[in-house]
Amino acid sequence: MSAPIDLVRADLRDFAGYRSARSDRLVGDVWLNANESAWPNVADDANIVRRYPDPQPEALRTRLATLYGCRPDQLIAGRGSDEAIDLLVRALCMPGQGAIVTTPPTFGMYAVSARLQGARVVEVPLIDDGANFHCDVDAVADAALASRATLVFLCSPGNPTGGAVPLDDVRRLAARLEGRALVVVDEAYQEFAPTPSAVSLLATCPNIVVLRTLSKAHALAGVRLGVAIGDADLIVVLRRCQAPYPLPAPCVALVERALGDGPLSRTEARTRECFGERARLADALRDAPGVRRVYPSVANFLLVRFDDAQVAFDALLSAGVVVRDVRAQPGLDDALRITVGRPDENDRVIAVLAGVFA
């Protein structure tokens, strides 16, 4: 069986990266090795920000590994899953030569990271059967092999579509691409889905990488913390490619507090309330005049097609409701993406759309 590290750029496999003052786990009580200020800042009440932070705090990685069902050495934490996407593209795509495969409509950062690296973006559009979007994994595999792409990005649950790629399809795709490409499953919305995480496939499919984030269900978008989970040797390479000190100490402290004993039940309570509001909002929008289609969703948003999406967008904005205009995405020229809000926020969406096309 081939190893995922074999897909890494040859010039980076033995790349040492930058060794910061916190790379070596030295022990002491007088720290004079990083040119930090010896005097604290008046705003630093906890006396934690005058020192550079641990690049990958062991306690944090252990906590996140427990949360996501993997080993700590299979996980790298960074500035949101956006950083993980960028690290993967930089590590696996030679500038000006590499290629990735995406399945539009999908999250735009895959293409942005690739283009910044000079890598080609090969698109295999999702199939809209009139009721839902589906990923043709055989077509994705064919495209990856034909283009010699080293990365395939699957957003599941999909953004902005709201649908999930079945795990059997992910497994089959990874098997076809073993030794040829990594299959990156972006699970930013996994907490809202009833299906198991692709982390469960890592033991038998080493060329799978899973992205997770604390920004959605855990209500921690402002701390900018996400992870990549995959083969331990690959994670070592990604750490060497990461900029120094990616995790600010105040953000780490907030995450540790949020993921401590007890608060996870509050995450579950939030997601349960979201499930109910998602169903209520979807039912109301299906009955609203001017709405063509509301797609099923296993995320915390709905993709909605309108007779006139501009009129709907403007009416909502005039009422103080900001939704995502996704009309620039392929095949979505009449669609808006609406995040599931609190009951009063959803009531306002329903009221506005009930009146605008009446």
Side-chain angles (χ1 to χ4, degrees):
M1 181 180 290
S2 62
I5 196 173
D6 296 335
L7 297 168
V8 171
R9 289 166 44 185
D11 60 323
L12 293 183
R13 290 173 198 165
D14 297 322
F15 177 57
Y18 175 74
R19 294 196 65 79
S20 72
R22 295 292 180 266
S23 297
D24 298 315
R25 295 190 176 278
L26 305 175
V27 177
D29 60 347
V30 177
W31 291 88
L32 304 177
N33 69 331
N35 302 332
E36 303 148 324
S37 172
W39 296 270
N41 188 293
V42 66
D44 186 13
D45 294 334
N47 196 28
I48 62 172
V49 298
R50 72 183 176 98
R51 299 292 187 191
Y52 286 113
D54 187 333
Q56 293 286 307
E58 185 174 346
L60 175 68
R61 292 177 76 208
T62 298
R63 193 178 295 276
L64 291 170
T66 300
L67 178 65
Y68 295 129
C70 65
R71 302 192 314 268
D73 65 345
Q74 293 178 299
L75 178 148
I76 180 172
R79 290 161 286 199
S81 50
D82 295 331
E83 184 180 21
I85 293 165
D86 185 62
L87 288 173
L88 286 163
V89 171
R90 286 195 282 129
L92 274 81
C93 294
M94 279 295 274
Q97 299 178 29
I100 72 167
V101 176
T102 66
T103 59
T106 193
F107 184 45
M109 281 307 299
Y110 315 136
V112 168
S113 293
R115 287 176 176 138
L116 288 172
Q117 184 73 352
R120 286 180 297 132
V121 179
V122 179
E123 297 182 340
V124 181
L126 297 175
I127 298 170
D128 184 357
D129 65 5
N132 210 340
F133 284 88
H134 301 280
C135 179
D136 184 344
V137 294
D138 291 320
V140 170
D142 291 342
L145 294 171
S147 64
R148 298 186 179 180
T150 50
L151 289 167
V152 172
F153 286 96
L154 300 178
C155 195
S156 180
N159 174 15
T161 62
V165 181
L167 281 192
D168 284 345
D169 285 354
V170 176
R171 183 188 295 109
R172 184 157 53 88
L173 178 61
R176 279 199 63 189
L177 297 180
E178 182 185 346
R180 308 291 292 276
L182 291 184
V183 177
V184 183
V185 186
D186 187 345
E187 294 186 341
Y189 302 92
Q190 177 60 33
E191 287 87 353
F192 303 100
T195 51
S197 167
V199 170
S200 61
L201 302 178
L202 293 181
T204 55
C205 301
N207 62 325
I208 288 177
V209 174
V210 178
L211 307 181
R212 300 295 294 265
T213 180
L214 299 179
S215 296
K216 312 301 181 183
H218 292 283
L220 291 170
V223 306
R224 303 303 302 129
L225 199 147
V227 304
I229 303 166
D231 176 80
D233 290 336
L234 176 65
I235 296 300
V236 170
V237 172
L238 296 182
R239 288 187 64 176
R240 291 172 183 163
C241 295
Q242 192 174 35
Y245 315 120
L247 304 175
C251 294
V252 171
L254 277 169
V255 170
E256 290 177 339
R257 178 183 171 193
L259 299 184
D261 295 337
L264 284 182
S265 62
R266 291 197 284 275
T267 297
E268 293 166 358
R270 282 194 300 270
T271 55
R272 281 196 301 270
E273 184 170 8
C274 180
F275 297 157
E277 284 300 298
R278 182 177 67 193
R280 183 175 77 89
L281 181 61
D283 288 343
L285 293 182
R286 288 190 188 98
D287 294 334
V291 171
R292 291 180 181 171
R293 186 182 309 161
V294 179
Y295 286 92
S297 174
V298 291
N300 68 334
F301 57 82
L302 298 171
L303 180 65
V304 185
R305 291 191 186 273
F306 292 88
D307 289 338
D308 192 326
Q310 187 65 56
V311 168
F313 183 86
D314 291 342
L316 288 166
L317 192 58
S318 294
V321 179
V322 183
V323 299
R324 185 73 162 184
D325 187 347
V326 295
R327 287 176 293 167
Q329 292 245 29
L332 298 181
D333 58 353
D334 59 354
L336 303 175
R337 191 195 70 194
I338 303 174
T339 303
V340 177
R342 298 189 307 270
D344 60 306
E345 295 171 328
N346 298 329
D347 286 343
R348 197 189 306 185
V349 171
I350 293 166
V352 170
L353 294 179
V356 70
F357 294 108

